[in-house]
Amino acid sequence: MARIAFIGLGNMGGGMAANLAKAGHDVRAFDLSADALARAKDAGCLPADSAAIACAEAEAVITMLPAGSHVEAVYTTDVFAAAPPSAILIDCSTIDVETARRVAEAAAVKGLTMVDAPVSGGIAAANAGTLTFMAGGSEEAFRRAEPFLADMGKTVIHAGPVGAGQAAKICNNMLLGATMVATGEAFVLAQKLGLDLQTFYDIASVSSGQSWSMTSYCPVPGIGPETPADRDWQGGFAAALQLKDLRLAMQAAASVSADTPMGARAAEMYQRFVDEGGAATDFSGIIKMLGLKQM
């Protein structure tokens, strides 16, 4: 088993660090939140007083942070100076491709190896250890990172060179945001046309309209597998985070002159949902803004 520095113990990072400890690793955890550190300690991690202290003698450094600015600051201020040259650096945050590449290049200058490995699956999957990781980096870097990622997830895919993990994540989540809006629209239209929504689900879930947003994460309470919709759209993947990913996708699209009208419209819709108070609501809750009647 390995000594791992884990920096960033929020809704996702806390469960990920706990699974590494459960797998038998010596996890030195750091977060600015005392409550997050206490939860990590209860889960078997050893709280550290700083990110730099957590990195001392680490065989792997894993970060799960809110934005690219946080990632760049933590690596340039703490990790690069404190992590041993032999450590593999793994950033699981969802950030812009440009920053991911810049930080990895700075790591290489310091003689360190890094991968970007954002995740898909949400809080429940982070806690259960069933995340999907999409990793960007060299073949050697991926080989070194893969065992640690496998202890936190069920699927680990090498997406390509540095930055490819972030590219895959933002493309995937642009598709997710757009299909969730379309799924919500279809259910609301069905309801207004007088269709029984369970019947509509039974038809669409085995027809050409089927999607993950329909059959695995249905936005309508009481239909399909249990989802946040069954808990008043609480838990899961917050709309504010979906909006963040859509903004990253729009930024990436602009940088390569890609035409993404559906992604742009989804970003507009989620911006409105967040502005109207839905930031902490699960992203499937946008169906309420679209006009779903009480069931």
Side-chain angles (χ1 to χ4, degrees):
M1 294 296 103
R3 176 175 290 188
I4 300 172
F6 201 107
I7 303 166
L9 303 167
N11 290 333
M12 296 292 292
M16 293 163 66
N19 282 314
L20 289 168
K22 189 183 300 182
H25 296 292
D26 175 9
V27 181
R28 309 297 174 97
F30 176 72
D31 194 278
L32 294 175
S33 165
D35 289 342
L37 283 172
R39 288 191 295 271
K41 183 177 181 180
D42 290 341
C45 303
L46 180 65
D49 291 334
S50 70
I53 291 173
C55 290
E57 300 181 13
E59 295 170 60
V61 177
I62 301 174
T63 48
M64 189 60 161
L65 299 165
S69 58
H70 304 104
V71 171
E72 193 156 25
V74 165
Y75 277 92
T76 56
T77 303
D78 298 299
V79 177
F80 290 161
S86 57
I88 179 68
L89 312 183
I90 306 170
D91 180 41
C92 295
S93 318
T94 297
I95 63 173
D96 61 285
V97 176
E98 181 181 348
T99 298
R101 289 174 175 162
R102 186 168 61 245
V103 175
E105 288 166 2
V109 170
K110 299 287 185 180
L112 295 158
T113 302
M114 186 171 184
V115 299
D116 52 290
V119 309
S120 178
I123 297 170
N127 292 334
T130 58
L131 292 166
T132 293
F133 290 90
M134 47 215 86
S138 68
E139 290 285 352
E140 181 207 356
F142 176 72
R143 177 183 56 79
R144 293 174 59 194
E146 186 176 15
F148 302 110
L149 299 175
D151 283 337
M152 299 183 288
K154 66 176 182 179
T155 305
V156 183
I157 300 172
H158 188 198
V162 167
Q166 298 296 348
K169 173 65 185 288
I170 61 176
C171 291
N172 179 76
N173 277 26
M174 182 181 73
L175 181 61
L176 173 64
T179 55
M180 184 56 77
V181 171
T183 299
E185 288 178 341
F187 272 110
V188 171
L189 177 59
Q191 187 179 60
K192 290 186 174 183
L193 290 172
L195 284 170
D196 174 77
L197 294 191
Q198 180 63 59
T199 300
F200 173 64
Y201 173 87
D202 292 342
I203 294 168
S205 64
V206 294
S207 300
S208 55
Q210 187 276 335
S211 69
W212 186 89
S213 295
M214 168 76 69
T215 54
S216 296
Y217 214 90
C218 186
V220 181
I223 294 179
E226 183 179 350
T227 68
D230 299 308
R231 302 185 296 274
D232 195 30
W233 296 278
Q234 298 304 306
F237 186 47
L241 295 178
Q242 176 64 76
L243 176 59
K244 170 196 166 185
D245 291 354
L246 286 165
R247 286 172 172 166
L248 288 173
M250 294 305 97
Q251 178 183 338
S255 73
V256 294
S257 300
D259 190 18
T260 55
M262 299 301 291
R265 182 57 178 150
E268 292 172 3
M269 297 290 288
Y270 275 99
Q271 183 68 68
R272 177 183 157 199
F273 185 49
V274 167
D275 289 345
E276 292 179 0
T281 302
D282 182 77
F283 82 111
S284 64
I286 198 166
I287 195 171
K288 296 187 291 182
M289 188 184 81
L290 294 169
L292 183 73
K293 293 179 182 178
Q294 189 82 20
M295 295 182 64

